[in-house]
Amino acid sequence: SAVISQKPSRDICQRGTSLTIQCQVDSQVTMMFWYRQQPGQSLTLIATANQGSEATYESGFVIDKFPISRPNLTFSTLTVSNMSPEDSSIYLCSGKDRAFTDTQYFGPGTRLTVL
Amino acid sequence: GNSVTQMEGPVTLSEEAFLTINCTYTATGYPSLFWYVQYPGEGLQLLLKATKADDKGSNKGFEATYRKETTSFHLEKGSVQVSDSAVYFCALSDRNSNYQLIWGAGTKLIIKP
């Protein structure tokens, strides 16, 4: 299994600012994902982070709002841009550790509050 | 398309009670099925999984059996503890969808001493 860490664990931000969340995996993973979990809700996939190329975004999420980087197989960042109170959520990254396996391992999440 | 339906919560039980959280799925292929748990203030942990029909996943006293005939993957535990209080998510993954996870809504479990 993969062990995943995230920074920061929580933050309180002002409207209109941006926050970058970092995700570090202890071993190489083939795929990394970013999710949003709004209060009391299930998880919604934002995008798949692709190493060395642009992320693949799900419907309703755009690169200008959620730019993602993945410079190598163990690290990815998600930026939440021009934040509004509606962006207050938990943001989670996950990794899938081998090709043709379907188990995802999750980080502890970043709890974001936008005032 | 693929989907997962979980019983609504919260589910409130007394310590040492028997637990069942229902999960049914709709899938076009042959998915893998998962239960994840989210303890208060934490991220998601994989609790158990099953990859084919009749497989039983188990961990920490929890069990779930992949029932293709009823398209179900119900989570059970014989004797719950206060420390089991958490939100439980059922999910499926299908190689035809590039292994993306399809999530249920989550079921909040509250165990009272």
Side-chain angles (χ1 to χ4, degrees), chain A residues 51-62:
Chain A
Q51 190 223 344
S53 64
E54 191 171 291
T56 305
Y57 290 86
E58 297 300 305
S59 176
F61 297 95
V62 296

Side-chain angles (χ1 to χ4, degrees), chain A residues 37 42 58 102-104 108 111, chain B residues 32 36 38 41-42 49 104:
Chain A
Q37 185 181 24
S42 187
E58 297 300 305
D102 43 16
T103 301
Q104 290 185 29
R111 281 152 183 78
Chain B
S32 294
Y36 284 85
Q38 187 174 35
E42 298 186 11
K49 64 179 281 190

Side-chain angles (χ1 to χ4, degrees), chain A residues 17-28:
Chain A
T17 62
S18 298
L19 176 72
T20 295
I21 302 167
Q22 298 179 6
C23 179
Q24 179 74 53
V25 190
D26 69 337
S27 58
Q28 293 185 352

Side-chain angles (χ1 to χ4, degrees), chain A residues 7-48:
Chain A
K7 289 194 299 186
S9 59
R10 62 178 66 239
D11 208 342
I12 301 173
C13 300
Q14 295 297 318
R15 181 195 298 261
T17 62
S18 298
L19 176 72
T20 295
I21 302 167
Q22 298 179 6
C23 179
Q24 179 74 53
V25 190
D26 69 337
S27 58
Q28 293 185 352
V29 292
T30 55
M31 299 179 76
M32 294 180 74
F33 304 90
W34 287 98
Y35 290 86
R36 181 174 71 184
Q37 185 181 24
Q38 295 180 305
Q41 303 294 313
S42 187
L43 280 75
T44 301
L45 181 64
I46 297 172
T48 302

Side-chain angles (χ1 to χ4, degrees), chain B residues 17-31:
Chain B
F18 185 87
L19 168 71
T20 299
I21 300 178
N22 290 337
C23 172
T24 58
Y25 69 90
T26 302
T28 53
Y30 299 93

Side-chain angles (χ1 to χ4, degrees), chain B residues 5-111:
Chain B
T5 302
Q6 284 181 242
M7 66 187 292
E8 289 190 19
V11 173
T12 303
L13 296 172
S14 298
E15 206 166 19
E16 300 184 0
F18 185 87
L19 168 71
T20 299
I21 300 178
N22 290 337
C23 172
T24 58
Y25 69 90
T26 302
T28 53
Y30 299 93
S32 294
L33 300 173
F34 304 84
W35 278 101
Y36 284 85
V37 59
Q38 187 174 35
Y39 296 103
E42 298 186 11
L44 271 74
Q45 298 178 23
L46 176 66
L47 182 58
L48 53 85
K49 64 179 281 190
T51 58
K52 60 183 187 297
D54 300 325
D55 268 3
K56 177 186 284 188
S58 62
N59 186 25
K60 299 181 180 181
F62 290 90
E63 293 184 340
T65 301
Y66 190 143
R67 302 284 188 199
K68 193 170 187 299
E69 64 276 14
T70 55
T71 62
S72 65
F73 193 55
H74 304 322
L75 183 68
E76 296 181 336
K77 187 176 184 183
S79 177
V80 293
Q81 306 300 313
V82 172
S83 57
D84 294 326
S85 298
V87 180
Y88 293 80
F89 292 93
C90 185
L92 71 81
S93 172
D94 185 347
R95 67 183 64 186
N96 294 328
S97 303
N98 201 25
Y99 298 104
Q100 287 189 9
L101 284 170
I102 307 299
W103 297 90
T107 302
K108 184 174 183 177
L109 175 65
I110 301 169
I111 307 299

